[in-house]
Amino acid sequence: MTEPIDGAAPLRVTALHDRHAALGASFTDFGGWSMPVRYTSDLAEHHAVRTAAGLFDISHMAQFVVTGEEREAFLAYALAFDPTKLALSKAKYTMILAPTGGIIDDLIVTRNADDQFLIVANAGNRDAVRTALADRIEGFNAQVTETDAALIAVQGPRAQEILEATTSLVHDDALAMGHTLDSLPYYTAMGMRFGGGAVLVSRTGYTGEDGFELSVDAADACALWDAVRAAGEPFGLVPAGLAARDTLRLEAGMPLYGHELSLDIVPAQAGLGRVVPLKTKEADFVGRSALASVVASDAPVLVALVADGRRAGRAGYAVLSVDGEQVGEITSGALSPTLGHPVAMAFVAPSASEPGTELFIDVRGNRIPATVTTLPFYKRNAK
């Protein structure tokens, strides 16, 4: 734990905290955790991920293991997805909804063994997700166990080469679930061996680049971090903090809870109606009944905005029509390091949501012209 500030609860630290401090990281409070916001330069770390690779500590995220004979029935009720359609080693982006249809959190669920699932939730929603799962498991022969495993992400076009060069991270047929790093598809996981323990390696990420997320026992986290750093140095790998992670995910059009997602937003408003299987899933999951009628015709919807110049709209800035009427609000915005111009996501009135619509962003009293476009702003070249 780090020291409390002004009487607040002490911040939690990950198993890698001392590694970050030794690298000279600047820290910030993120979801109650002391996390590295940058090591050297936001821009340098961002560009490294786009051109080579970045190494992230994402151990602040919550991990829950679901087991028991009725694990699938429980998940079908508790979450907005159909676990029976998730094959061994496959991962799925989904959500846990409130009875009102609002979003408690967005999640990644992986069938990481024949008899269990792994749920990864956002750090700031750890307590809310834990409580919702505990409430919803009543009556099911299933168990939810929160783990203290660390999570390390290697993201960028050279990520696979770096993991293949990490000599202490080795293939093990008994853990691999039929995959190799080279054959591993997107949103699929495999087990590997590191030292005496197992590591779950998932081809997932939050940057818009190819990459992997490694779930490892907290006791082995520092050794794995050091091994990946050493292997990645010749490839241009750099440690990267939350600031770069935020601009990377924004360019990739990926939502951030508390900005694009919240209890006041239903999936369809955020352009994520496809994630919720209303037409295909038979189970009556929590929130389903509300989704059929909860969205009013004038409810704000999420759009992408691009602008010229260098002045970017930030979260909370007003979005105006050509007549000067406020039609929405920015949820995330930045000067895109990759594209060189401002980009933003915003909730606006449906009447202002069509691609090509000309709007303005109120940047500290200055009206900056912006145009509605489609997400993502940036898309990597496929392999």
Side-chain angles (χ1 to χ4, degrees):
M1 297 287 189
T2 60
E3 291 299 318
I5 299 174
D6 296 330
L11 298 179
R12 300 183 67 178
V13 297
T14 75
L16 294 165
H17 183 81
D18 289 347
R19 291 295 192 273
H20 307 318
L23 289 167
S26 299
F27 291 92
T28 189
D29 177 353
F30 190 84
W33 292 75
S34 178
M35 296 298 297
V37 67
R38 69 183 58 82
Y39 297 87
T40 55
S41 155
D42 302 352
L43 288 177
E45 292 166 21
H46 180 109
H47 288 309
V49 175
R50 289 281 182 250
T51 60
L55 181 62
F56 298 85
D57 178 12
I58 54 172
S59 304
H60 57 310
M61 300 183 74
Q63 299 182 74
F64 302 93
V65 173
V66 181
T67 56
E69 292 183 5
E70 295 182 323
R71 58 191 176 275
E72 290 185 350
F74 161 60
L75 289 175
Y77 171 70
L79 309 182
F81 94 119
D82 187 349
T84 66
K85 296 182 178 180
L86 197 63
L88 179 65
S89 81
K90 292 296 184 181
K92 177 73 173 177
Y93 176 78
T94 186
M95 296 180 180
I96 182 166
L97 304 178
T100 59
I103 302 166
I104 295 175
D105 200 14
D106 58 337
L107 315 166
I108 294 181
V109 182
T110 305
R111 189 188 288 267
N112 61 321
D114 287 323
D115 59 352
Q116 71 179 36
F117 294 85
L118 175 68
I119 299 173
V120 178
N122 287 298
N125 294 328
R126 178 186 299 263
D127 293 344
V129 172
R130 183 195 303 115
T131 298
L133 292 175
D135 290 344
R136 297 173 190 187
I137 204 168
E138 185 176 353
F140 292 98
N141 182 9
Q143 297 80 44
V144 175
T145 305
E146 186 173 358
T147 82
D148 63 354
L151 268 176
I152 295 171
V154 185
Q155 299 284 300
R158 309 205 73 174
Q160 180 180 320
E161 295 173 272
I162 291 167
L163 290 192
E164 289 173 338
T166 306
T167 54
S168 48
L169 183 67
V170 298
H171 182 87
D172 186 325
D173 285 338
L175 300 173
M177 294 182 277
H179 301 291
T180 65
L181 282 174
D182 188 56
S183 70
L184 193 67
Y186 190 49
Y187 263 67
T188 307
M190 62 180 288
M192 298 186 74
R193 183 76 58 188
F194 180 76
V199 179
L200 185 70
V201 180
S202 304
R203 199 164 209 147
T204 50
Y206 194 52
T207 63
E209 293 295 338
D210 188 22
F212 303 85
E213 296 176 327
L214 291 74
S215 180
V216 60
D217 189 284
D220 296 325
C222 287
L224 180 58
W225 173 274
D226 293 344
V228 174
R229 274 197 69 209
E233 187 173 354
F235 296 95
L237 174 76
V238 302
L242 292 178
R245 186 170 163 86
D246 190 51
T247 51
L248 290 160
R249 70 92 192 168
L250 174 57
E251 289 181 346
M254 295 178 171
L256 175 63
Y257 198 91
H259 290 249
E260 290 72 45
L261 308 177
S262 74
L263 281 171
D264 297 322
I265 297 297
V266 299
Q269 287 179 265
L272 296 171
R274 68 189 184 281
V275 173
V276 181
L278 286 174
K279 295 182 179 179
T280 59
K281 185 179 174 184
E282 296 180 0
D284 185 20
F285 59 88
V286 176
R288 177 174 186 156
S289 59
L291 293 179
S293 59
V294 73
V295 182
S297 60
D298 61 348
V301 294
L302 190 68
V303 299
L305 297 173
V306 294
D308 295 328
R310 310 288 292 177
R311 302 190 69 178
R314 305 291 181 178
Y317 286 13
V319 179
L320 310 175
S321 71
V322 293
D323 298 325
E325 177 187 0
Q326 182 168 350
V327 293
E329 185 175 289
I330 300 292
T331 56
S332 298
L335 177 63
S336 165
T338 303
L339 305 175
H341 59 73
V343 298
M345 289 190 278
F347 276 104
V348 302
S351 60
S353 65
E354 284 297 313
T357 301
E358 298 295 330
L359 298 171
F360 290 90
I361 302 172
D362 185 344
V363 179
R364 299 181 180 178
N366 295 301
R367 290 175 25 142
I368 306 299
T371 304
V372 177
T373 187
T374 56
L375 293 172
F377 301 106
Y378 164 87
K379 190 173 183 179
R380 68 183 177 89
N381 294 324
K383 290 173 59 179

